[in-house]
Amino acid sequence: MVEPKANSNNNECAAMLKLQISITEPLRLDIASQTSTTITALLGHSGSGKTSLLRAIAGLNKSAGSIIINAQEVNGLACYQRPVALVQQKAQLFDHWSIAQHIQQVRKRAFDYCLDIDKLSADLGITPLLALHPQQLSGGQSQRVALLLALLREPKLLLLDESFSALDEQAKRSLFRPLKKALQLLGAQALLVSHQLRDCAALADDCWILEPAPHSLAASIGYQGSIGAGLKHYQGDSGCSALLAARFINYDPQSDLSRYELSVDKSSTPTQIFSRGRSPCLEGNNARLALYADDIGISLQPLELSSFANVVSVNIITIKRDDYGYLLTAELSRQQIYIHVTEGSLQRLNLSVNCSAYAIFKAGAVDVLSS
């Protein structure tokens, strides 16, 4: 085993990633974006140029123009000379090498040895696969191996293009924490392309939305911001969801409920949220909870005697008409949730901006995304 080397850039957070891209071929892309978060989701509808952008950054697509990563021009460099690693939907592995041989070959080109290979292999579920060859692996196992090899290249920018598509939810969850930890140890960042918005919500903190210009082949970043607001912008009101920062408190086996507290300042009483089943988080750890607008009701009374596990006080801050009735934005412990109501409900309850009410939803409506 190669012992990991201390990384002077390891501050448990990523540095500022600055991308300046002006490509004229094969697809015109004009991008000037930056972020300081570890993982940024790159969203965009089919044909917007997401994969073309990642392949151009990685050097797999010939591109005329300029690609600058943190002040370094890379467009004239070969793939292996760029400070990036790309994990594609279909893993690119050599049939005549075992997985252990793949790892040995990649490590010959690594410099700092920041990562503990044995631990990372175990965390990613690779250890039982070391003696196998690629043709003996399932699609999900191949994606795990590709992710490990990409991290062992010690990139400053990891490009993830539908890299978890062959994995089930439980398998994906097992990868997210070691992936984030490895990026932090490397002082690296990642761009994540996925049509699974749940993966983006679980992994990313920032979001870029790639939007093609009308009536042209050009594309640019049309939105930059937090992942929560970005998903709302991307989905529109019809699929509106909110992401809540919380802390896992405990699990009660008798009721089969996990309890969380929303992040608030020390002077406020924390709001409690309950989800169904045992939490994937460790007690005391941060969690990210998703709530969907169609799963939440609203009441003017606290409904103390009801079957709802969650009855929480909220303050309505905006009311917007949409195709489904009205979308309410409500403040909950200084965070925001969204609630769909019909016009009849809005009038019957006499709801208005700055109105105090209670949001009601079952424990099963709380989607625990990450820790």
Side-chain angles (χ1 to χ4, degrees):
M1 183 191 80
V2 179
E3 292 295 332
K5 178 180 176 182
N7 185 353
S8 59
N9 294 325
N10 175 24
N11 296 317
E12 290 299 310
C13 63
M16 178 69 72
L17 169 66
K18 296 181 180 179
L19 284 183
Q20 183 177 338
I21 300 172
S22 181
I23 303 174
T24 55
E25 296 178 10
L27 175 71
R28 183 177 172 185
L29 294 166
D30 293 300
I31 294 171
S33 298
Q34 65 181 38
T35 179
S36 59
T37 60
T38 301
I39 300 178
T40 298
L42 180 64
L43 302 178
H45 297 291
S46 296
S48 61
K50 303 183 299 298
T51 294
S52 295
L53 172 59
L54 295 193
R55 289 178 63 85
I57 294 173
L60 296 180
N61 279 1
K62 281 190 174 181
S63 53
S66 176
I67 302 176
I68 300 173
I69 303 174
N70 292 341
Q72 180 185 3
E73 170 63 70
V74 301
N75 207 26
L77 301 179
C79 297
Y80 68 90
Q81 295 175 313
R82 303 186 184 201
V84 303
L86 172 64
V87 184
Q88 303 179 86
Q89 185 171 3
K90 182 174 176 56
Q92 306 297 310
L93 303 173
F94 296 102
D95 288 344
H96 61 285
W97 282 348
S98 70
I99 304 310
Q101 289 173 316
H102 277 84
I103 293 173
Q104 291 169 4
Q105 292 299 320
V106 171
R107 289 308 271 174
K108 287 180 181 179
R109 296 170 174 81
F111 298 101
D112 291 335
Y113 301 116
C114 304
L115 303 175
D116 183 326
I117 301 177
D118 290 348
K119 185 176 188 312
L120 186 57
S121 296
D123 290 343
L124 296 180
I126 306 300
T127 304
L129 311 176
L130 293 176
L132 301 181
H133 286 72
Q135 60 268 36
Q136 297 173 286
L137 304 181
S138 68
Q141 289 171 333
S142 296
Q143 287 188 332
R144 288 172 178 267
V145 171
L147 180 61
L148 173 66
L149 297 177
L151 290 169
L152 294 183
R153 287 189 58 193
E154 301 174 1
K156 288 305 175 187
L157 178 59
L158 180 66
L159 307 172
L160 301 169
D161 190 5
E162 300 289 352
S163 307
F164 311 110
S165 58
L167 295 161
D168 58 46
E169 285 299 323
Q170 184 174 356
K172 281 191 283 192
R173 282 180 183 272
S174 69
L175 297 185
F176 289 169
R177 187 178 295 177
L179 168 60
K180 286 184 175 181
K181 183 65 176 178
L183 289 171
Q184 290 168 350
L185 287 171
L186 292 170
Q189 289 166 294
L191 281 179
L192 169 65
V193 167
S194 176
H195 286 103
Q196 299 298 317
L197 297 184
R198 195 174 189 275
D199 294 350
C200 297
L203 274 172
D205 291 311
D206 270 6
C207 173
W208 297 346
I209 299 179
L210 195 61
E211 297 178 347
H215 312 297
S216 75
L217 295 177
S220 61
I221 299 295
Y223 170 88
Q224 300 180 60
S226 69
I227 183 65
L231 287 175
K232 182 177 183 296
H233 178 91
Y234 183 71
Q235 293 174 299
D237 295 340
S238 59
C240 199
S241 61
L243 297 179
L244 299 176
R247 185 169 62 94
F248 174 52
I249 303 301
N250 57 29
Y251 168 70
D252 178 18
Q254 185 173 358
S255 63
D256 193 31
L257 294 178
S258 293
R259 179 165 62 100
Y260 304 83
E261 288 184 353
L262 297 190
S263 303
V264 294
D265 57 49
K266 295 181 179 180
S267 63
S268 304
T269 302
T271 298
Q272 295 188 353
I273 299 289
F274 295 91
S275 72
R276 181 186 297 162
R278 186 181 294 275
S279 173
C281 310
L282 299 175
E283 288 191 13
N285 275 24
N286 293 331
R288 187 173 290 175
L289 311 178
L291 282 173
Y292 298 86
D294 288 339
D295 291 337
I296 306 176
I298 194 163
S299 170
L300 299 180
Q301 302 295 328
L303 299 182
E304 294 177 356
L305 297 176
S306 76
S307 62
F308 292 96
N310 296 291
V311 181
V312 294
S313 177
V314 298
N315 185 60
I316 299 173
I317 55 178
T318 67
I319 299 176
K320 176 185 176 183
R321 190 177 185 93
D322 63 16
D323 294 338
Y324 299 84
Y326 287 87
L327 181 69
L328 311 181
T329 304
E331 189 175 57
L332 170 62
S333 293
R334 298 188 179 180
Q335 301 186 59
Q336 292 182 2
I337 62 172
Y338 308 103
I339 307 169
H340 267 136
V341 298
T342 64
E343 184 171 3
S345 295
L346 187 78
Q347 294 177 352
R348 186 172 64 255
L349 298 177
N350 195 26
L351 299 175
S352 61
V353 173
N354 294 325
C355 170
S356 296
Y358 293 88
I360 54 177
F361 47 97
K362 293 185 175 182
V366 180
D367 195 1
V368 183
L369 296 179
S370 65
S371 60

